[in-house]
Amino acid sequence: MDSPHTSKRRNRKPAWLIFRNLSTYLLLSVGVLVAIFPFYWMLSTSLMSLGEAQGTRLIPSEIHPENYVDAWEEADFSRYMWNSTRITLMTLVGELTFSTLAAYAFARIKFPGRDIIFTLLLTTMMIPAMVTIIPNFLTVTWLGRIGPIKWINNWPALTIPFMGSVFSIFLLRQFFAQVPDELFDAAQMDGAGHLRFLWNIVLPLSKAPMMVIIVLSFIGTWNALAWPMLVTNSPDWRPIAVGLYSFIGEAGQMINLMMAGAFIAVIPILILYFFTQKQFTESIARSGLKG
Amino acid sequence: MINKLLKLAFPIALVLSMLLVSCGPAATSTPLATEPPPAAPTNTSQPAEPTAPPAEPTSPPAPQPTTPPAEPPKPAIDPTGQTVTFWHVWGTGLPNDTMLAIVDSFNATNEWGITVEAMDQGGYSNLEDALNAAVQTGDLPDLVTGYTNAMANWYAVDAVVDLTPLANDPVLGLSQEDWAAFYPGAIEGGKAPDGKLFAFPISQSANVIFYNSQWAKELGFDNPPTNYAEFKEQACAATEANNNDDNPDNDGTGGLVLYASASNVASFVFANGGTMLNADKTGYDFSDPTVVDVANFFKDLWDSGCAYPTESYPNPEFATRKALFTVSSTAGLPYQIAAFDAPDAIKDEWTLIPFPGKDGGQAVNLFGQYVAIGNTNPERMMATWVFLKYLTSPEVQAKWIGGSAYYPTRSDTLQFLGTYKATNPIWSYGLSFLQYGAAEPAWPSWTSVRRSVGDTFSAILAGTPADIPSLLSDLNDTAAQAIIETQE
């Protein structure tokens, strides 16, 4: 039996371990501060007067909660928030549907030219979005002219081009390809075809990548500015980022109202991430897609 | 089971929260804070009113009918019933409300049944992107605002039209009195090198110097600087005062906040009597003494430590005695006034001054809010002109000025701005500078050349004085190449 003295000595951690732990926590604390500071600055600035917000103060000398009301009214946020909501939901549903089907085909159905088509698809990820913006604009204009629905200044131009995402197809294809063939064979013996196998077996196993797609697509659509500005010319379908942009003037910015607006705009993203962070983190860790 | 319920609950909660947020009742509480009264302009030797209204018409006057017709004459092109789309950049706040009110008023009262649809396009760059895309598809707006150099590009590809025939229409054009009322500089700023009027000024602002006159007096200067030597003396005195006080945080500040942008360079060049163009106005000339003097002046101020940069708009620096001089558009007045309301601001008296020349000239750089008419069809273009004429009529322009804080482009608008002038003394004082106004070149190449000017002057500040001639010579070459590229 150890004497109390011996036990005390055994419980004491070596100095290098304490130093390592301290360093780790210090580093992580710095990381947390770096990550939190922009949010703090946004919140703090949103509560300042315009004059104070233009300076370098970090704490408001006087709280101005009315900035939130002003921002909401000035930038017609109720309309833009509703527009962003419906654009995002339509895009999400479309992206999940088409990306899932395409990814499944690339992962589990053999057809001539499959790998070449998939490679070609991947190469499109290398082209900067700004390069294709005018050709895409011409395409949606043309589609609006030949089709029954107008595309410009309407939901099709804002949603349909984003329903086919190469990144989502790639991500899902990698997960679908890992599903063992034996599962498909068993499902086939029970009379299931590809669609039933996808719906009943593959998708329930792929919640994590689906969550990643939902979160990334949601953020991308919610924050979109350049494309919506190009394909809309009235507030009927413009998203929330346009409302934020309106606080930038010719010779200055209403920075306090802009930050109040930004805080309002970021709330849905925070809620979504709060509910999906477990699957999101899991998927990122599993797929090795860290920053 | 609970887990499943929770999993089902989160998307429903998310959607509901967004719906609730977006469908929430309109907020009813506090209206926007009213703008605080600006600091009173200090007593300077500048006149309070423009002293030189334009005497000559800037364009040929419209022919006037010699005998009154029995019934109103009909225009050659009938604008009746047209719908006009107006792309603009004033999407929020009072400017937006004012523009929409003007449009509504026009739609309700015009005798031709013309309907104008005003559409905010975000910032100038968003609008330019949208119009460049519209040029490709052919779906042009009827009326579009923008920078004149961008409009010059659109004019070069026939996306916007020469306004002269519309403006001189015998029935719907401008009268001789109208033409005479416009400030010549404003009209000239919308003309192509061939004299065609492709852009029309609805209002204007000016690049000016904000000057802390109270601090200057404490430093021993009773009047604003009128030449480079006086300017440097005051800027360096302010820098020295900050370096020698008890506050180490303001060391190195105090003089001029200098941002070597093309607009600021142009402002100082105009004050030297220069234009940055060659004698026959066919190209740029940055080796002209009026430009070289500005380069040497910037370099001298910079190397003396009497000018320094900031990362953002220098409004807080100006309001806390970290800058005796800053350069700003008059459109930035509300932001500067707000900066003086911050708790750490020093409530000094301040004013606007024009840019001084090397040996005593003075000028401001005029930024016009121009509009152009899209190349659609004759009826739509005439209907658009009818709206544009209404928008620039004195009473309506006065409404626009009241909502936007810009300056008018015609002298007869001032008669409707009495109350506004009385309640906005600094704005009112700035009116006196319009007579010194000059505009940057409205050339297609200016879009890229202005970037090169900024780069060159930044290089001048970073280099040695001996580099200045070669850097300006290189700038001439770059600018000449830009002209060739825009003509191809």
Side-chain angles (χ1 to χ4, degrees):
Chain A
M1 192 174 173
D2 290 339
S3 69
H5 184 72
T6 319
S7 170
K8 204 173 179 182
R9 191 182 294 165
R10 269 192 195 163
N11 286 342
R12 189 182 295 161
K13 288 178 180 170
W16 68 267
L17 194 60
I18 294 170
F19 178 74
R20 195 187 71 176
N21 286 347
L22 270 178
S23 306
T24 306
Y25 284 118
L26 192 68
L27 204 65
L28 289 174
S29 302
V30 171
V32 167
L33 284 177
V34 168
I36 283 180
F37 184 74
F39 284 96
Y40 169 75
W41 185 82
M42 175 173 69
L43 184 62
S44 169
T45 306
S46 72
L47 295 168
M48 293 179 182
S49 66
L50 175 60
E52 199 170 31
Q54 292 182 85
T56 53
R57 290 180 72 98
L58 292 177
I59 301 168
S61 61
E62 196 179 327
I63 304 288
H64 290 271
E66 73 275 10
N67 285 347
Y68 284 82
V69 178
D70 293 345
W72 186 274
E73 288 180 344
E74 282 274 314
D76 202 2
F77 259 36
S78 49
R79 179 201 288 257
Y80 289 132
M81 193 69 99
W82 166 235
N83 288 347
S84 277
T85 304
R86 51 190 181 154
I87 291 168
T88 303
L89 288 178
M90 276 191 265
T91 307
L92 266 181
V93 170
E95 184 175 343
L96 286 173
T97 306
F98 294 116
S99 300
T100 303
L101 293 173
Y104 182 84
F106 281 123
R108 308 210 60 90
I109 300 175
K110 285 184 179 152
F111 55 90
R114 181 183 73 167
D115 293 341
I116 293 173
I117 295 172
F118 187 63
T119 308
L120 280 175
L121 207 58
L122 288 186
T123 56
T124 62
M125 288 174 76
M126 315 298 166
I127 303 169
M130 288 312 287
V131 173
T132 57
I133 200 163
I134 293 296
N136 285 343
F137 177 75
L138 295 176
T139 306
V140 297
T141 305
W142 175 74
L143 287 168
R145 282 177 184 161
I146 62 163
I149 323 167
K150 67 167 186 166
W151 280 51
I152 297 295
N153 213 23
N154 201 5
W155 63 268
L158 292 158
T159 58
I160 293 176
F162 304 97
M163 290 182 181
S165 159
V166 180
F167 174 76
S168 302
I169 293 169
F170 167 72
L171 188 70
L172 288 175
R173 184 226 179 239
Q174 301 308 97
F175 271 80
F176 293 172
Q178 290 170 14
V179 176
D181 289 341
E182 289 77 8
L183 279 179
F184 180 65
D185 294 340
Q188 220 173 9
M189 286 174 72
D190 288 340
H194 280 298
L195 271 181
R196 183 173 289 277
F197 178 63
L198 171 66
W199 185 255
N200 287 350
I201 296 172
V202 177
L203 285 183
L205 291 172
S206 309
K207 279 181 197 159
M210 299 293 269
M211 286 304 164
V212 171
I213 291 169
I214 287 172
V215 171
L216 294 182
S217 174
F218 188 99
I219 293 171
T221 311
W222 194 261
N223 293 335
L225 176 67
W227 178 256
M229 286 300 296
L230 196 61
V231 297
T232 60
N233 47 36
S234 77
D236 298 345
W237 276 94
R238 283 185 168 163
I240 192 96
V242 177
L244 289 179
Y245 197 84
S246 64
F247 293 118
I248 301 175
E250 193 181 331
Q253 304 168 0
M254 305 292 284
I255 189 75
N256 53 342
L257 299 189
M258 186 192 259
M259 289 305 112
F263 192 81
I264 296 169
V266 89
I267 288 173
I269 294 175
L270 290 179
I271 294 173
L272 179 74
Y273 187 72
F274 177 76
F275 282 109
T276 60
Q277 62 172 327
K278 191 180 162 206
Q279 285 93 339
F280 186 82
T281 316
E282 245 176 44
S283 175
I284 294 288
R286 206 185 293 172
S287 63
L289 286 173
K290 285 184 221 174
Chain B
M1 184 66 186
I2 291 171
N3 272 348
K4 274 191 178 177
L5 280 174
L6 277 174
K7 281 172 191 171
L8 193 64
F10 89 79
I12 295 170
L14 176 66
V15 172
L16 278 177
S17 67
M18 288 192 294
L19 288 174
L20 284 172
V21 169
S22 52
C23 302
T28 53
S29 54
T30 332
L32 264 178
T34 51
E35 190 176 285
T42 56
N43 183 21
T44 70
S45 57
Q46 302 302 330
E49 295 289 331
T51 54
E56 294 294 324
T58 53
S59 204
Q64 299 297 304
T66 49
T67 51
E71 59 184 53
K74 288 186 177 173
I77 301 166
D78 185 5
T80 303
Q82 297 295 322
T83 297
V84 170
T85 53
F86 175 23
W87 286 8
H88 65 84
V89 293
W90 302 287
T92 190
L94 196 52
N96 183 52
D97 297 344
T98 309
M99 184 55 81
L100 291 182
I102 289 170
V103 166
D104 287 346
S105 166
F106 174 80
N107 289 344
T109 59
N110 83 84
E111 60 186 296
W112 306 98
I114 299 166
T115 305
V116 176
E117 293 176 353
M119 297 170 172
D120 167 46
Q121 298 299 313
Y124 279 98
S125 59
N126 301 115
L127 184 141
E128 285 176 20
D129 289 344
L131 199 116
N132 289 336
V135 169
Q136 300 292 323
T137 62
D139 295 331
L140 293 166
D142 296 285
L143 189 66
V144 60
T145 188
Y147 293 127
T148 48
N149 48 304
M151 288 177 175
N153 275 314
W154 301 332
Y155 179 64
V157 296
D158 291 330
V160 300
V161 296
D162 175 20
L163 300 172
T164 316
L166 296 166
N168 285 335
D169 183 88
V171 179
L172 296 174
L174 295 174
S175 68
Q176 192 171 352
E177 292 74 31
D178 286 329
W179 280 115
F182 278 97
Y183 295 118
I187 294 291
E188 287 302 316
K191 284 186 177 176
D194 61 4
K196 298 286 173 57
L197 183 69
F198 63 83
F200 204 78
I202 62 169
S203 54
Q204 56 186 335
S205 50
N207 203 35
V208 297
I209 293 177
F210 290 175
Y211 175 61
N212 188 328
S213 49
Q214 185 173 332
W215 189 24
K217 276 185 185 146
E218 290 173 25
L219 293 168
F221 303 102
D222 289 334
N223 291 306
T226 57
N227 56 44
Y228 285 179
E230 289 177 12
F231 193 100
K232 186 185 173 188
E233 189 186 2
Q234 294 199 19
C236 292
T239 305
E240 198 181 337
N242 278 2
N243 285 343
N244 294 335
D245 66 9
D246 297 334
N247 179 8
D249 291 339
N250 65 9
D251 287 357
T253 68
L256 166 71
V257 173
L258 180 57
Y259 178 56
S261 69
S263 291
N264 293 346
V265 170
S267 304
F268 277 102
V269 171
F270 295 155
N272 282 337
T275 59
M276 299 179 294
L277 305 178
N278 61 17
D280 55 1
K281 310 282 189 234
T282 55
Y284 299 96
D285 182 6
F286 294 104
S287 299
D288 186 82
T290 56
V291 183
V292 176
D293 285 342
V294 174
N296 286 321
F297 177 55
F298 278 17
K299 186 66 185 152
D300 184 27
L301 275 180
W302 194 263
D303 289 351
S304 307
C306 306
Y308 72 102
T310 56
E311 287 175 3
S312 185
Y313 296 100
N315 303 329
E317 285 78 8
F318 187 68
T320 52
R321 288 198 176 184
K322 285 182 178 168
L324 185 67
F325 305 100
T326 58
V327 176
S328 170
S329 162
T330 49
L333 275 172
Y335 303 97
Q336 186 59 71
I337 290 167
F340 275 99
D341 283 340
D344 51 352
I346 301 167
K347 316 291 183 195
D348 283 330
E349 282 189 352
W350 58 284
T351 189
L352 317 178
I353 60 171
F355 290 83
K358 182 185 180 188
D359 298 313
Q362 50 188 358
V364 295
N365 187 353
L366 291 180
F367 302 146
Q369 287 75 50
Y370 285 86
V371 291
I373 292 183
N375 190 0
T376 53
N377 65 51
E379 290 77 19
R380 277 171 62 183
M381 289 193 285
M382 183 55 84
T384 309
W385 167 256
V386 171
F387 172 65
L388 181 50
K389 185 182 171 189
Y390 173 83
L391 183 58
T392 53
S393 60
E395 248 179 297
V396 178
Q397 189 174 65
K399 279 185 198 161
W400 171 234
I401 300 306
S404 65
Y406 290 130
Y407 287 103
T409 53
R410 50 190 297 169
S411 54
D412 51 357
T413 298
L414 294 173
Q415 62 186 304
F416 300 103
L417 286 167
T419 310
Y420 189 78
K421 282 164 64 180
T423 51
N424 295 276
I426 290 186
W427 178 93
S428 181
Y429 183 63
L431 272 170
S432 59
F433 301 150
L434 298 184
Q435 60 182 310
Y436 310 122
E440 294 170 29
W443 293 4
S445 55
W446 182 240
T447 305
S448 65
V449 172
R450 71 193 319 278
R451 272 197 298 272
S452 302
V453 170
D455 293 344
T456 299
F457 274 76
S458 295
I460 286 171
L461 296 182
T464 66
D467 299 334
I468 291 175
S470 62
L471 285 168
L472 292 177
S473 173
D474 291 348
L475 179 58
N476 276 335
D477 296 341
T478 309
Q481 186 60 36
I483 290 177
I484 293 167
E485 283 170 7
T486 50
Q487 286 171 346
E488 280 171 354

